[in-house]
Amino acid sequence: MTKDEIILLENRWAELLKGPKRLNEPKVSNTKITAAELQEQLLQDEEYQKWLKEKEQVRIALEAAYAEDEKPLVEDLKKAGLNITSSWDLVNTKSSYKQAIPILLEHLPKPYHLKNKEGIVRALAVKEAIGKASPVLIAEYNRTPKDKMFFRWAIGNTIYTTIKEGDVESILPIVLDRTNGTSRQMFVAALGKIKADNVKAILFRLVNDDDKAIRDEAIKALKQK
């Protein structure tokens, strides 16, 4: 399935999440009805049932599309001894997966769907990635369009875990570029972990940023100095 086909599915999913456009609304009277009575009305509503069926079909199709897109990564992770079906399995596990870090870093720049890239990024937010992941994450941030704010924010959130003092020079241009908006928030928070005079000076500048989230994060970071 192509990226465009996945986008069509995602758009349809978003529409379906708004709820069914039923021709026959549940009957409402002056007396309250029980949940069971409402459920019975919905069971008799053909438009509602049609919506319910399509919603499930689209959900299944989307999951399959994401899995197909991520297949090369999953296969490499399985070769490394990890019994998973998605990078998101790593995000949700409490077990260590040190052997996965170089594989995740190798695959992050590849043209996966953004949802799968986010899974990789979030899976890198572990201590085993400290000192290894930041350069790859920063490069991914810089090549990602600025309108993908949430994904870029997620990269900063992982940087908060992986940052080392040597990463600072690459992060400063990100936090000082106001066109990066709120996606800078966790980069600013990460700078609060670094004890360096140039970082403190930058944080003082960010206290006057246009974005309230950035201002607040800079103030919190300064309190750590």
Side-chain angles (χ1 to χ4, degrees):
M1 183 173 287
T2 67
K3 296 289 191 300
D4 287 342
E5 289 172 324
I6 294 178
I7 290 172
L8 288 174
L9 277 174
E10 288 176 327
N11 290 341
R12 183 54 185 156
W13 176 250
E15 285 296 317
L16 289 167
L17 287 179
K18 295 176 183 177
K21 296 179 180 179
R22 299 193 298 273
L23 295 179
N24 301 311
E25 295 292 334
K27 297 177 182 178
V28 178
S29 65
N30 292 328
T31 59
K32 292 183 178 180
I33 64 172
T34 65
E37 289 171 332
L38 176 59
Q39 182 65 23
E40 182 60 28
Q41 288 186 24
L42 293 175
L43 287 173
Q44 304 303 318
D45 189 323
E46 292 184 6
E47 289 300 316
Y48 176 82
Q49 292 303 316
K50 181 180 177 181
W51 166 80
L52 206 60
K53 182 178 179 180
E54 184 184 2
K55 182 167 172 278
E56 180 64 7
Q57 290 172 337
V58 172
R59 183 191 67 78
I60 292 171
L62 256 182
E63 287 186 358
Y66 291 143
E68 180 64 26
D69 177 77
E70 195 183 21
K71 189 174 180 180
L73 169 62
V74 172
E75 288 179 348
D76 280 355
L77 290 170
K78 285 184 176 180
K79 289 176 185 176
L82 293 160
N83 184 24
I84 64 164
T85 59
S86 168
S87 58
W88 287 95
D89 292 341
L90 299 178
V91 178
N92 297 319
T93 186
K94 294 182 179 179
S95 302
S96 175
Y97 45 86
K98 183 178 180 180
Q99 72 272 40
I101 302 304
I103 298 171
L104 294 170
L105 292 174
E106 176 190 349
H107 280 263
L108 180 56
K110 296 184 178 183
Y112 291 114
H113 184 278
L114 206 62
K115 177 179 174 62
N116 289 328
K117 277 182 171 282
E118 185 185 343
I120 296 173
V121 166
R122 292 189 179 275
L124 287 167
V126 290
K127 63 181 181 180
E128 291 83 0
I130 295 173
K132 302 173 184 176
S134 292
V136 178
L137 289 163
I138 292 168
E140 183 70 25
Y141 179 92
N142 287 330
R143 67 171 156 261
T144 300
K146 294 187 178 183
D147 64 332
K148 307 301 181 184
M149 193 279 294
F150 186 78
F151 175 64
R152 297 178 104 213
W153 185 95
I155 293 175
N157 191 53
T158 295
I159 287 287
Y160 182 83
T161 297
T162 64
I163 191 172
K164 295 196 74 175
E165 189 166 345
D167 302 322
V168 169
E169 291 305 315
S170 297
I171 290 174
L172 295 185
I174 291 174
V175 299
L176 289 174
D177 184 351
R178 295 187 178 188
T179 66
N180 286 326
T182 306
S183 72
R184 299 172 291 160
Q185 182 181 12
M186 295 309 294
F187 286 98
V188 177
L191 290 177
K193 299 167 69 175
I194 303 298
K195 308 298 182 183
D197 290 340
N198 63 329
V199 169
K200 190 172 183 179
I202 293 298
L203 291 173
F204 271 118
R205 288 175 61 180
L206 293 173
V207 167
N208 297 310
D209 196 86
D210 295 336
D211 190 315
K212 184 179 183 301
I214 302 304
R215 295 196 303 270
D216 290 348
E217 208 62 60
I219 291 169
K220 286 193 291 184
L222 281 168
K223 290 179 180 179
Q224 300 176 50
K225 302 299 181 184

